[in-house]
Amino acid sequence: MKLNIQSIKSTIRHIVSKWWSACSVFFKIMIPVSIVIKLLEESGALSRIGVVLSPLMAPLHLPGEMGIVWATTMLSNIYGGLLSLSSMLPETGLTVAQMTTLASLMLFAHTFLIEIPICVKAGCRFLPIFLIRFVSAYLFAFLTAQSCAALGVLQETVSTIGITHSDNTLIEWAIGEVKKYISIALVVLLLVVVLEVLEKTGVLKVLNKLLLPLVSFIGISKDVLPITIIGMTLGLGYGGGLIVAQSKESPLSKRDIFLSLAFLSLFHSIIEDHLLMIGLGADAFFVFVIRFVFCLAAMLLIRKLYDWFDKSKRRSV
């Protein structure tokens, strides 16, 4: 009985330690960044940054002001981008092709000020992760826009964009932020407990065997597979935070960390974000199926480039 109690206490300490490690990554980055984003919004700086991206919208067959929407999405989050879209939607509306193209930009490249620093904290360099997300976003959006135009598909107008804008007071904003942090802490705790249960029951081993062929194909190790799956379903921030916590327990190779976070940078939050975009009028086949195939192809290239740079670095030493 004593052994069981001791084992339970040890497991609880292990869970709390891992939970705190993951949460500390979130909050050290999210709290100051949230304040900075709020200052940028209040000062109108987000709109000025978006103007710089406006010329990039023409090859995507999007109105220039959609550059502001994308800038807002990258610096804040998808919901911030959609609020921006609600005030900048053209009178003629957007076609399904345009909404799908814009959704592609937003799904690949959003919440940079939080998610990229989390990747850096986990062991990646800023520039490669930034380029993977920004270049992939624009390239896939370009291919989507050009394909739809060439094939003459998805040209009907999206009926409605169900987003309304609301101006919160600073107190309401602060209360909302605190609620968000509490929700994140609870979700992370749940994830850590679930991972612990899956590991203790042996379910994790079975899951690893089932998915190993796919992840091996793109270079992801079984050591980071469970966390990668969490990041795919819930978000890059959760995956990155758990990788930091996992690294403190058992060292992960730089290759495993980079390839896992590279894949999550391309394809994460596959439930909430994708359903949101599809609900707003984006084409489900493009934003989910075609985008997933694109991500797999991109990962093959990223894996080869990483291994090539790694070999070159070793030869030069």
Side-chain angles (χ1 to χ4, degrees):
M1 188 68 178
K2 289 183 179 179
L3 288 175
N4 289 336
I5 293 175
Q6 194 65 32
S7 176
I8 292 171
K9 287 182 178 179
S10 176
T11 300
I12 291 174
R13 282 196 296 268
H14 172 73
I15 289 172
V16 171
S17 175
K18 195 168 182 178
W19 169 74
W20 179 250
S21 295
C23 282
S24 62
V25 174
F26 279 109
F27 298 144
K28 285 178 182 178
I29 294 172
M30 287 185 70
I31 293 175
V33 166
S34 295
I35 295 172
V36 170
I37 290 172
K38 185 63 177 176
L39 292 173
L40 289 173
E41 289 176 347
E42 295 296 324
S43 66
L46 283 179
S47 296
R48 289 192 287 273
I49 294 172
V51 171
V52 177
L53 294 174
S54 294
L56 295 177
M57 298 299 104
L60 306 182
H61 302 161
L62 290 174
E65 55 267 30
M66 293 302 103
I68 298 175
V69 174
W70 190 27
T72 304
T73 303
M74 286 191 286
L75 295 176
S76 59
N77 52 45
I78 284 180
Y79 290 96
L82 292 177
L83 287 174
S84 176
L85 174 62
S86 69
S87 61
M88 296 183 183
L89 193 65
E91 290 185 6
T92 55
L94 296 175
T95 65
V96 175
Q98 288 176 314
M99 189 62 214
T100 302
T101 300
L102 181 62
S104 300
L105 289 173
M106 298 169 77
L107 287 169
F108 274 108
H110 59 262
T111 325
F112 275 7
L113 294 181
I114 292 175
E115 292 182 347
I116 293 182
I118 287 176
C119 290
V120 172
K121 184 75 174 177
C124 295
R125 291 186 179 182
F126 173 86
L127 188 59
I129 293 296
F130 171 80
L131 289 176
I132 285 171
R133 298 191 68 176
F134 187 89
V135 173
S136 296
Y138 194 81
L139 178 59
F140 185 78
F142 177 79
L143 293 174
T144 298
Q146 296 299 323
S147 298
C148 289
L151 297 173
V153 297
L154 308 182
Q155 300 305 309
E156 61 274 17
T157 302
V158 176
S159 55
T160 57
I161 302 288
I163 299 292
T164 56
H165 184 73
S166 61
D167 294 319
N168 294 331
T169 65
L170 285 176
I171 293 178
E172 289 172 336
W173 169 80
I175 292 173
E177 290 297 299
V178 171
K179 288 180 179 178
K180 180 173 69 177
Y181 301 146
I182 293 173
S183 297
I184 288 172
L186 292 174
V187 169
V188 172
L189 178 59
L190 178 62
L191 291 175
V192 172
V193 171
V194 169
L195 280 174
E196 189 71 17
V197 171
L198 291 177
E199 186 175 356
K200 295 288 187 182
T201 57
V203 174
L204 212 52
K205 289 183 179 180
V206 176
L207 190 62
N208 285 344
K209 287 182 180 179
L210 291 174
L211 294 175
L212 194 56
L214 175 62
V215 296
S216 297
F217 176 69
I218 57 178
I220 295 176
S221 164
K222 63 180 181 180
D223 294 333
V224 289
L225 175 57
I227 296 173
T228 304
I229 294 172
I230 286 174
M232 284 176 61
T233 54
L234 294 181
L236 174 58
Y238 290 108
L242 290 173
I243 282 177
V244 173
Q246 181 68 29
S247 297
K248 293 182 179 181
E249 285 186 10
S250 55
L252 298 171
S253 71
K254 290 183 178 180
R255 185 178 187 274
D256 286 344
I257 292 173
F258 177 78
L259 291 179
S260 175
L261 290 176
F263 182 64
L264 291 182
S265 294
L266 294 172
F267 200 72
H268 61 270
S269 297
I270 62 175
I271 299 174
E272 179 184 359
D273 291 354
H274 287 72
L275 289 179
L276 176 62
M277 290 302 177
I278 292 167
L280 291 172
D283 183 73
F285 185 71
F286 267 91
V287 299
F288 193 86
V289 179
I290 300 297
R291 200 170 84 85
F292 180 64
V293 173
F294 175 87
C295 291
L296 291 180
M299 278 304 300
L300 291 177
L301 176 61
I302 290 168
R303 186 191 69 183
K304 289 184 178 181
L305 286 174
Y306 181 92
D307 291 340
W308 182 79
F309 277 113
D310 188 49
K311 287 181 182 178
S312 299
K313 186 177 179 181
R314 289 178 184 178
R315 288 171 185 169
S316 62
V317 174

